[in-house]
Amino acid sequence: MASEAAHGSSAQFSTFFVADLFFGVDVLRVQEVLRFQQMTRVPQAPEVFEGLINLRGQIVTAIDMRRRLRLPPRSGGQTPMNMVVRTEDGAVSLLVDEIGDVLDAEDTTYERPPENLDPAARELIRGVYKLKDRLLLVLDAERTVDLVAERRA
Amino acid sequence: MQDQEVIREFLVESHENLSRLDQELVELERRPRDQALLASIFRTIHTIKGTCGFLGFTTLEAITHQAESLLSQLRDGQRELTPALVSLILETVDVTRRVLAAIEASGEEGPESFGELTERLRAAAQRGDAVPDGSVPESAAGGSGDAPREEEIAKSSAVADANIRVGVGLLDKLMDLVGELVLTRNQILQFNTEREDAALNATSQRLNLITTELQEGVMKTRMQPIGMVWNKLPRVVRDMAVALGKQVRLDMDGADTELDRTIIEAIKDPLVHLVRNACDHGIEVPEIRMRAGKAAQGRLTLRAYHEGGQVNIEIGDDGAGIDAARVKQKAVEKGLLRPEQADKLSDREIVNLIFHPGFSTAQTVTNVSGRGVGMDVVKSHIEKIGGVVDVISRPGEGSTVKLKIPLTLAIIPGLVVNSGGERFVIPQVSLLELIRLEGDSSDKHIERVHGTPVLRRRGSLLPIAYLNQVLGLEAAPADAVSIVVLQAEDRQFGLVVDGIQDTQEIVVKPLGKQLKGLSVYAGATIMGDGRVALILDVLGIGQRSGVLAESREQARAAVEQKTQAGQEQQRLLLFRAGSFERLAVPLSLVARLEEFPRGSIERASGCRVVQYRNRILPLVPLRGVLEPGAPEPAQTDDVVQVVVFNDGERSVGVVVDQILDVAEEAVTVRQKSSRKGLLGSAVVGQKVTDFLDLNEVIRTANEIWFQGTRETAAGTKVLVADGSAFSRGLIRSGLDMAGYRVREAATVDEAVRALEQELPTVVVVAADLPPGGSAALLTAMRRCPEWASIPLLALTDPETSGAADLRGAGFQDCQAKFDREAMLDSVARLASALAQAEPVPVCVGEEE
């Protein structure tokens, strides 16, 4: 992706907030952004799976990014937004706190994630763009949805 | 006459190929050295030739054979392509078309032999250089050659016209769209029920009809005859037969039975495996067959037919059948079963063990099967698509594997249920019946066997699972219990749900990769209101809840069922010990029948014990109790038979020589016995049988055993008033064992007399005590202030209709007649409440 691209080029990201973290996903990966939808919860599934939503006849699994990143839960009354991303295994909805703008990030400002990052986050963050006023964390969408609810004996 | 279907296929395919040939040949003239093009043309002609040979169309075969030779020379670069040659080949194509038209019209090739063309093709191929003079003008002469060709093209083939090849992807897409339409239709219908609009109503009805028809139509486009899979089996069978030195004839019946494309795909491999297996393990070599008086040639029969919205496929052979004894032995060897468990399984259950992972009875591992992989894979494949596998074996006559397969997977009828505030869908295929238990006593109908909830249903026990417990959901308060009776594999269980809604056609959608691993769900669907509902996987639910445990558990459950059933039917367990050939004890007192290896018996504080379910079980050899001083017999068996009796927290095992039977007959005669350890004798099953005094036996053998209870129960007097001598005896033995002093009364008068003689601590009275019932005794006791304070426990017969809960009607407690544990609990509570002078009545909760 962007990091491998030639100097001087830039990449476009759809951005969002989870707690105080500012994330970006490759804009081409994002299928759509939705308000909070009514969900059908999935008993016996790990907590990170918030439920299932009906996206125009397609059943999409919603993953709570707070839980995925092992962050404290959202404060009461705050409804998350759905960021539906396309993955190798179909569309998956990421539940995030707030949706940000679509941003261009210069490749020259890109850096590998710091080594001392929390393991839960490090696994999912591919790199960091040093924007003028804040850091944009590049989310690895494939890894984010690479979760399997095991059958419990 | 050949199979019409095959010929039709051939015609459709050939017409397509020929159209392409026209194009390719013309193209070839422009690029004569294009190897890919040449190869493609060669293949097309070759295919037609091959099929003609197979179908017996000799004329066409001869023509195409010559054309093929010519083309192979061109392909191999042995000669140059000339326009004359192209014409010759094109002429062949035209002739082929004409013959195909004749076949389509009459099923025969027609009288023309086209010998002249064949000859010219042969000559051209032989000459190897140029097309002979004279043939060029003939073929290229236009006039005679071109006219029929154009006419034919214009006319074209009716068969080819009536068929279009459609990509599977497009059909799948159509199916998806129909699925969406079905969902939208459901939504509209729901919308319609909420409003009273005649026009909307009419329109939505029409939409409903059209959608259903469209759905059926699109589903049909995806249907394929099962013959598509079967047609490769003759070859498989032949190769197997040759490799194994066997003679096998394959009969196929119902090859035109249609199934959804996805299902055809899914059963392909399992079918091949089953057929191979039947050839390898089923059908014997000719010598053995002859010796058994069978024809040397074995028969393998494939049958497919529709039945009740499903397709049944049977793979039968007339071989040796499955040797249940060998399967059993193998299962034990492989540690799948313990020997004593294996003995409890029926032959049919044993035979079905071949589907167990890691099982193969083949004595030699051949290169075709017998590696112990396969049958379990077959089962899991079939179950994955909602099918069921069963095997029936007739020793010496053969075996039949039956597959039950759903017609389609995409849209299925399902039952919508509620649990814990959520909606779930249960596939209708697994559904057997719905039970609703209403009223106060509704949850009483669900009884417990050793903590496992069960329901009596038409005389047998149905294991019960609670959906909210399986899924970890909140239980909703309800005034009625709804039970969905489900079938998973060959077993049934009841699933308690909060509510049952209706049945709907649902579109099965797969869950995302992340959630596929959850075995309790088969997928998800979108409901009429647009929300998602999960589809339950009946097998997964059954396994998760434990009602469908492994076969090992099944054997154990069978004994438990027997024990439980014995309670209602008042059965007796008959056994043998020492010189007592026939001893009996009420089966209701028996907790379990067990076998322990002799080596596992240990000694603790002078008593024989065995480790049992993480506890120490004291063992009492019955022989030693009944015949003290008699010599110990030689120990021949390496297992000991033990009857386990349960008394609340403690258990004791009585060692007997042999378990004989369970008798159901009513006891006719009873004669008191003076012998220690025996209550008396009676005629059971027309033979004199001694009744064991269990209390005495256990006390004699192990004085320490009841020391704990003596102190609390000793001196506690219980009056048992029951008209039936048998159930009185039953109640008595329970109380006896717990250490109570029991007096019996058969009528109200007898009870009153007993009360006059001695005041009991607790009175246990049967609701049907003659004359006048338990209420008569209550009234009699109310008259005397001394008696009025004695707590009364009423016992009702749960099988009698109108058995009301008598609690509150003057009785301090009420229990089911044959629920021994609850009865003992209740008596203990009533007795202690009185001792502590606490006010009665005492509330007794539901037994757990």
Side-chain angles (χ1 to χ4, degrees):
Chain A
M1 223 177 67
S3 58
E4 270 76 51
H7 277 284
S9 66
S10 64
Q12 269 201 321
F13 292 96
S14 275
T15 62
F16 58 89
F17 295 88
V18 181
D20 56 347
L21 299 174
F22 183 51
F23 281 102
V25 186
D26 177 8
V27 76
L28 296 174
R29 266 196 180 272
V30 178
Q31 183 178 316
E32 60 194 296
V33 171
L34 298 166
R35 277 180 195 295
F36 182 69
Q37 302 272 309
Q38 233 183 355
M39 278 183 210
T40 300
R41 57 183 175 133
V42 184
Q44 298 297 315
E47 273 192 327
V48 64
F49 298 105
E50 188 73 20
L52 302 172
I53 57 174
N54 170 13
L55 191 64
R56 292 183 301 280
Q58 194 186 0
I59 292 175
V60 173
T61 310
I63 292 176
D64 183 6
M65 288 308 292
R66 286 250 186 179
R67 292 220 170 87
R68 186 73 181 94
L69 292 161
R70 293 192 210 136
L71 295 168
R74 240 164 253 111
S75 59
Q78 197 188 355
T79 51
M81 299 284 285
N82 286 287
M83 180 167 250
V84 183
V85 294
R86 277 184 285 258
T87 72
E88 282 168 14
D89 310 291
V92 174
S93 172
L94 305 179
L95 294 179
V96 303
D97 292 1
E98 217 178 301
I99 303 287
D101 297 329
V102 174
L103 293 180
D104 285 306
E106 296 289 330
D107 283 354
T108 47
T109 64
Y110 182 81
E111 213 172 281
R112 310 254 327 132
E115 293 296 325
N116 57 352
L117 204 63
D118 176 77
R122 190 178 161 74
E123 182 199 357
L124 307 181
I125 295 171
R126 216 187 293 187
V128 180
Y129 282 98
K130 293 159 285 181
L131 303 186
K132 227 181 264 168
D133 46 352
R134 54 170 26 125
L135 296 176
L136 175 67
L137 311 175
V138 181
L139 188 76
D140 188 326
E142 287 298 338
R143 278 206 196 157
T144 306
V145 302
D146 189 16
L147 285 171
V148 176
E150 292 293 339
R151 78 168 67 189
R152 283 193 265 155
Chain B
M1 194 65 230
Q2 278 117 344
D3 190 1
Q4 287 299 330
E5 199 59 36
V6 178
I7 294 178
R8 255 176 61 92
E9 287 262 321
F10 163 67
L11 288 174
V12 171
E13 193 184 88
S14 302
H15 276 296
E16 276 174 20
N17 285 341
L18 291 176
S19 308
R20 207 178 54 231
L21 258 192
D22 279 342
Q23 271 186 347
E24 283 178 343
L25 282 169
V26 176
E27 187 75 25
L28 189 67
E29 255 186 321
R30 283 199 281 136
R31 291 183 282 132
R33 283 171 206 283
D34 189 329
Q35 279 299 318
L37 206 53
L38 258 171
S40 166
I41 293 167
F42 176 80
R43 251 198 325 272
T44 309
I45 294 285
H46 178 79
T47 306
I48 295 175
K49 184 196 95 170
T51 322
C52 286
F54 177 67
L55 294 172
F57 296 133
T58 47
T59 313
L60 208 48
E61 189 192 1
I63 300 168
T64 45
H65 175 70
Q66 292 304 337
E68 188 191 355
S69 320
L70 193 58
L71 281 164
S72 78
Q73 290 175 2
L74 287 168
R75 187 190 57 178
D76 300 342
Q78 289 171 13
R79 62 189 303 165
E80 290 287 312
L81 185 79
T82 62
L85 274 179
V86 173
S87 299
L88 191 58
I89 296 165
L90 278 173
E91 199 180 333
T92 312
V93 170
D94 292 342
V95 166
T96 308
R97 265 213 190 86
R98 233 189 296 166
V99 178
L100 289 176
I103 293 170
E104 189 185 332
S106 63
E108 318 261 335
E109 286 180 294
E112 278 182 280
S113 68
F114 304 100
E116 183 260 348
L117 175 68
T118 317
E119 186 49 41
R120 264 192 294 140
L121 282 165
R122 198 183 54 78
Q126 265 179 359
R127 244 166 267 167
D129 45 275
V131 181
D133 297 341
S135 71
V136 180
E138 249 181 84
S139 61
S144 63
D146 283 346
R149 193 170 128 199
E150 259 158 38
E151 191 190 309
E152 267 161 41
I153 289 169
K155 188 159 79 176
S156 198
S157 157
V159 173
D161 276 356
N163 287 278
I164 302 175
R165 287 207 168 210
V166 180
V168 164
L170 179 60
L171 290 181
D172 287 347
K173 174 84 185 144
L174 274 178
M175 195 65 194
D176 283 349
L177 286 171
V178 166
E180 294 305 311
L181 185 62
V182 167
L183 292 175
T184 317
R185 185 258 329 248
N186 292 352
Q187 261 165 290
I188 295 269
L189 287 182
Q190 189 168 347
F191 193 51
N192 180 40
T193 55
E194 290 161 10
R195 337 191 128 207
E196 308 229 334
D197 185 331
L200 173 65
N201 192 26
T203 315
S204 57
Q205 285 311 317
R206 180 132 184 78
L207 174 68
N208 188 11
L209 282 176
I210 294 172
T211 310
T212 309
E213 244 170 77
L214 181 63
Q215 181 193 330
E216 280 166 9
V218 171
M219 237 142 84
K220 256 188 213 143
T221 62
R222 289 160 42 109
M223 292 294 219
Q224 286 181 319
I226 195 166
M228 301 277 289
V229 189
W230 281 4
N231 57 22
K232 68 176 191 185
L233 294 178
R235 176 71 194 274
V236 170
V237 170
R238 190 205 148 269
D239 289 355
M240 288 279 298
V242 171
L244 297 164
K246 295 178 181 180
Q247 296 174 21
V248 185
R249 196 176 95 203
L250 178 66
D251 290 337
M252 296 194 277
D253 184 16
D256 52 354
T257 307
E258 289 191 321
L259 277 167
D260 193 273
R261 206 182 71 70
T262 46
I263 293 185
I264 293 263
E265 277 303 309
I267 60 169
K268 214 183 250 173
D269 292 344
L271 265 184
V272 172
H273 188 88
L274 287 172
V275 165
R276 292 169 75 105
N277 210 66
C279 290
D280 194 10
H281 301 320
I283 290 168
E284 318 92 320
V285 291
E287 302 88 74
I288 294 179
R289 289 185 63 89
M290 306 276 257
R291 237 178 286 152
K294 292 195 258 193
Q297 190 182 43
R299 253 179 73 179
L300 192 62
T301 317
L302 290 177
R303 236 159 74 76
Y305 54 98
H306 285 275
E307 188 187 67
Q310 288 192 311
V311 174
N312 289 358
I313 303 168
E314 297 177 3
I315 299 104
D317 64 64
D318 67 345
I322 299 168
D323 186 347
R326 220 172 77 209
V327 172
K328 197 192 283 184
Q329 185 197 336
K330 203 93 179 180
V332 171
E333 271 173 32
K334 299 207 173 217
L336 302 173
L337 278 180
R338 284 197 282 131
E340 62 271 22
Q341 288 165 342
D343 292 339
K344 286 167 190 154
L345 295 179
S346 71
D347 274 5
R348 185 155 175 182
E349 284 171 308
I350 286 176
V351 166
N352 272 288
L353 284 175
I354 60 166
F355 294 112
H356 213 95
F359 196 94
S360 172
T361 51
Q363 275 164 347
T364 53
V365 170
T366 62
N367 68 334
V368 279
S369 59
R371 268 180 244 279
V373 291
M375 288 308 252
D376 58 319
V377 178
V378 167
K379 189 180 162 93
S380 69
H381 268 71
I382 297 298
E383 281 173 358
K384 211 178 279 168
I385 55 165
V388 179
V389 192
D390 190 21
V391 60
I392 298 154
S393 165
R394 301 164 302 278
E397 291 171 39
S399 49
T400 304
V401 179
K402 283 191 173 183
L403 310 179
K404 263 186 200 266
I405 313 271
L407 277 179
T408 179
L409 298 176
I411 300 181
I412 60 164
L415 178 77
V416 184
V417 299
N418 294 86
S419 184
E422 303 280 334
R423 261 182 314 187
F424 297 96
V425 184
I426 298 172
Q428 192 108 39
V429 198
S430 324
L431 191 66
L432 291 175
E433 65 182 285
L434 303 175
I435 298 176
R436 188 175 159 87
L437 303 175
E438 284 189 56
D440 292 341
S441 58
S442 59
D443 51 346
K444 266 222 172 126
H445 288 287
I446 295 178
E447 299 168 67
R448 278 166 198 275
V449 180
H450 207 267
T452 309
V454 293
L455 179 78
R456 296 185 203 204
R457 189 180 62 133
R458 292 188 287 279
S460 64
L461 293 180
L462 184 72
I464 296 288
Y466 292 84
L467 184 56
N468 54 22
Q469 287 175 11
V470 178
L471 299 180
L473 297 167
E474 295 282 302
D479 49 351
V481 177
S482 299
I483 301 174
V484 184
V485 182
L486 300 170
Q487 171 102 35
E489 294 180 316
D490 51 347
R491 277 166 281 166
Q492 303 177 354
F493 69 98
L495 189 65
V496 176
V497 298
D498 291 349
I500 293 169
Q501 294 187 1
D502 54 352
T503 54
Q504 275 186 18
E505 292 274 294
I506 56 155
V507 180
V508 181
K509 303 204 173 235
L511 286 173
K513 176 195 83 171
Q514 295 86 3
L515 298 173
K516 274 219 173 93
L518 294 170
S519 60
V520 288
Y521 306 117
T525 189
I526 294 166
M527 305 297 289
D529 60 3
R531 289 196 60 190
V532 179
L534 288 157
I535 302 168
L536 298 180
D537 184 315
V538 170
L539 190 62
I541 293 274
Q543 283 166 345
R544 169 68 72 88
S545 64
V547 291
L548 301 179
E550 294 305 302
S551 50
R552 203 177 338 192
E553 291 301 318
Q554 225 178 321
R556 192 169 292 161
V559 174
E560 274 172 4
Q561 281 203 5
K562 245 188 200 165
T563 317
Q564 179 72 8
Q567 283 189 356
E568 5 169 341
Q569 293 172 34
Q570 309 184 354
R571 295 196 207 169
L572 297 167
L573 178 72
L574 301 176
F575 50 89
R576 189 167 64 76
S579 59
F580 292 84
E581 284 300 326
R582 210 168 153 88
L583 288 158
V585 66
L587 192 55
S588 58
L589 299 177
V590 177
R592 270 157 210 284
L593 304 181
E594 288 287 350
E595 284 172 332
F596 296 110
R598 208 169 273 283
S600 70
I601 298 176
E602 300 167 63
R603 277 183 179 275
S605 58
C607 180
R608 285 179 212 196
V609 296
V610 69
Q611 293 178 29
Y612 179 60
R613 299 186 164 211
N614 298 327
R615 291 214 206 134
I616 295 172
L617 179 74
L619 293 182
V620 180
L622 191 52
R623 188 196 287 267
V625 175
L626 296 175
E627 298 163 275
E632 282 265 316
Q635 297 176 349
T636 47
D637 289 349
D638 25 86
V639 290
V640 291
Q641 305 273 349
V642 174
V643 184
V644 181
F645 298 93
N646 240 336
D647 175 34
E649 281 295 289
R650 289 157 306 183
S651 305
V652 64
V654 170
V655 181
V656 301
D657 289 358
Q658 194 190 354
I659 304 288
L660 297 173
D661 202 357
V662 172
E664 289 188 62
E665 284 120 326
V667 178
T668 48
V669 184
R670 205 177 254 212
Q671 201 182 348
K672 275 228 161 198
S673 166
S674 55
R675 195 173 182 121
K676 200 180 168 195
L678 296 179
L679 285 171
S681 32
V683 175
V684 176
Q686 294 169 345
K687 281 184 195 157
V688 174
T689 305
D690 289 316
F691 277 71
L692 197 65
D693 183 347
L694 202 54
N695 198 27
E696 188 61 33
V697 166
I698 293 166
R699 191 167 40 203
T700 315
N702 187 1
E703 287 294 343
I704 51 169
W705 176 244
F706 277 115
Q707 269 169 13
T709 47
R710 299 256 120 209
E711 275 150 32
T712 53
T716 309
K717 293 162 220 136
V718 179
L719 173 65
V720 176
D722 191 333
S724 149
F726 189 87
S727 65
R728 213 164 54 228
L730 213 74
I731 299 165
R732 185 194 181 125
S733 26
L735 291 165
D736 270 347
M737 269 183 68
Y740 293 99
R741 270 180 50 202
V742 182
R743 276 198 74 148
E744 292 179 38
T747 62
V748 175
D749 283 352
E750 272 188 45
V752 169
R753 266 201 299 283
L755 285 165
E756 279 166 358
Q757 286 165 13
E758 191 182 33
L759 279 184
T761 317
V762 178
V763 175
V764 177
V765 56
D768 55 356
L769 178 70
S774 54
L777 182 62
L778 182 71
T779 320
M781 285 175 67
R782 284 246 170 95
R783 266 184 250 131
C784 177
E786 226 187 336
W787 300 348
S789 60
I790 299 172
L792 269 160
L793 166 65
L795 296 183
T796 56
D797 189 345
E799 290 302 279
T800 321
S801 57
D805 195 331
L806 295 167
R807 233 169 292 183
F811 296 92
Q812 275 67 39
D813 199 5
C814 180
Q815 294 293 350
K817 196 169 208 168
F818 299 113
D819 194 340
R820 186 167 150 269
E821 290 301 325
M823 189 264 293
L824 286 175
D825 253 355
S826 180
V827 168
R829 253 177 275 204
L830 293 175
S832 70
L834 193 79
Q836 289 158 29
E838 269 183 21
V840 278
V842 175
C843 276
V844 176
E846 272 307 312
E847 74 272 18
E848 173 52 43

